């Protein structure tokens, strides 16, 4: 993994030890949006009652899609199929739910552990084909940090 990604990941892991899930999700959005070129909007949706609810985000503008059904969009697809979805050209994908006219590519990574999906990280880029395998690995590692936290909090509230 790129050095830049390694150092952001270490930072998120160490800050995460102290923070509750939603605070950590906010921090993740801020850090990725501010520190990674091409990550032009970053959001964390959490899966609650079979819908994805936007719980943290960073970017120039708010999205109208604050609640997304599992049957909708790239976000719904990633949660439903429990896999990373990397769309190099959103204009070519019929499943895409448009948020910003500037968006050209999108990466959605589930926050999941032991086959249970807790939510997902959604990143929009104004650049076409912005995300490669290194981005996927990086964002998956961040999703793992959030998944550990989500699992711990879910266990506590049971
Ligand atoms: N484009 C997403 C919707 C969320 S916005 O990008 C913030 C989708 O197709 O599910």
């Amino acid at each position: 993994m790129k050095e830049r990604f390694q150092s952001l990941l270490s930072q998120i892991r160490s800050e995460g030890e102290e923070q509750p899930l939603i605070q950590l999700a906010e921090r993740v959005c801020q850090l990725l949006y501010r520190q990674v070129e091409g990550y032009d909007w970053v959001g964390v949706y959490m899966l609650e009652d079979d819908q994805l609810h936007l719980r943290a985000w960073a970017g120039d503008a708010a999205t109208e899609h604050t609640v997304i059904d599992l049957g909708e969009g790239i976000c719904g697809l990633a949660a439903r199929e429990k896999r990373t979805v990397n769309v190099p050209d959103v204009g070519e994908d019929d499943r895409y739910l448009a948020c910003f006219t500037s968006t050209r590519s999108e990466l959605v990574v589930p926050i999941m552990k032991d086959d249970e999906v807790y939510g997902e990280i959604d990143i929009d880029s104004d650049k076409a084909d912005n995300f490669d395998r290194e981005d996927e690995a990086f964002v998956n590692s961040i999703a793992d940090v959030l998944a550990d936290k989500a699992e711990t909090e879910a266990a506590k509230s049971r």
Side-chain angles (χ1 to χ4, degrees):
M1 206 186 286
K2 284 182 212 160
E3 224 170 279
R4 183 87 200 94
F5 284 170
Q6 280 293 359
S7 86
L8 279 169
L9 184 56
S10 305
Q11 191 179 345
I12 288 163
R13 280 192 181 128
S14 72
E15 288 187 16
E17 286 171 23
E18 308 292 325
Q19 290 174 332
L21 176 65
I22 294 306
Q23 224 170 295
L24 179 60
E26 268 162 21
R27 187 72 181 131
V28 162
C29 293
Q30 289 293 337
L31 274 175
L32 297 190
Y33 170 63
R34 286 174 201 274
Q35 313 248 343
V36 187
E37 210 190 315
Y39 286 24
D40 296 310
W41 188 92
V42 182
V44 170
Y45 287 88
M46 298 308 296
L47 184 61
E48 293 158 23
D49 302 323
D50 284 340
Q51 283 182 316
L52 294 158
H53 294 258
L54 186 63
R55 293 294 180 225
W57 65 275
D60 286 347
T63 175
E64 63 183 284
H65 299 293
T66 54
V67 182
I68 299 176
D69 284 338
L70 280 183
E72 287 181 338
I74 308 298
C75 287
L77 178 71
R80 213 166 59 235
E81 296 193 351
K82 303 183 177 181
R83 64 177 177 94
T84 295
V85 182
N86 184 350
V87 180
D89 180 354
V90 295
E92 292 288 309
D93 198 314
D94 292 344
R95 299 164 300 189
Y96 174 68
L97 278 180
C99 288
F100 316 108
T101 50
S102 56
T103 301
R104 293 285 167 272
S105 58
E106 179 165 17
L107 177 67
V108 185
V109 174
I111 296 167
M112 59 184 284
K113 195 160 186 196
D114 301 330
D115 214 41
E116 173 151 3
V117 175
Y118 293 101
E120 60 192 27
I121 301 174
D122 176 20
I123 307 177
D124 288 12
S125 180
D126 295 346
K127 201 176 135 211
D129 200 11
N130 186 62
F131 307 102
D132 63 15
R133 296 274 174 209
E134 288 209 87
D135 293 278
E136 289 182 22
F138 169 56
V139 181
N140 266 284
S141 300
I142 293 171
D144 286 344
V145 180
L146 292 173
D148 280 341
K149 191 111 298 199
E151 187 195 36
T152 311
E153 291 192 8
K156 271 190 205 154
S157 68
R158 252 176 232 136

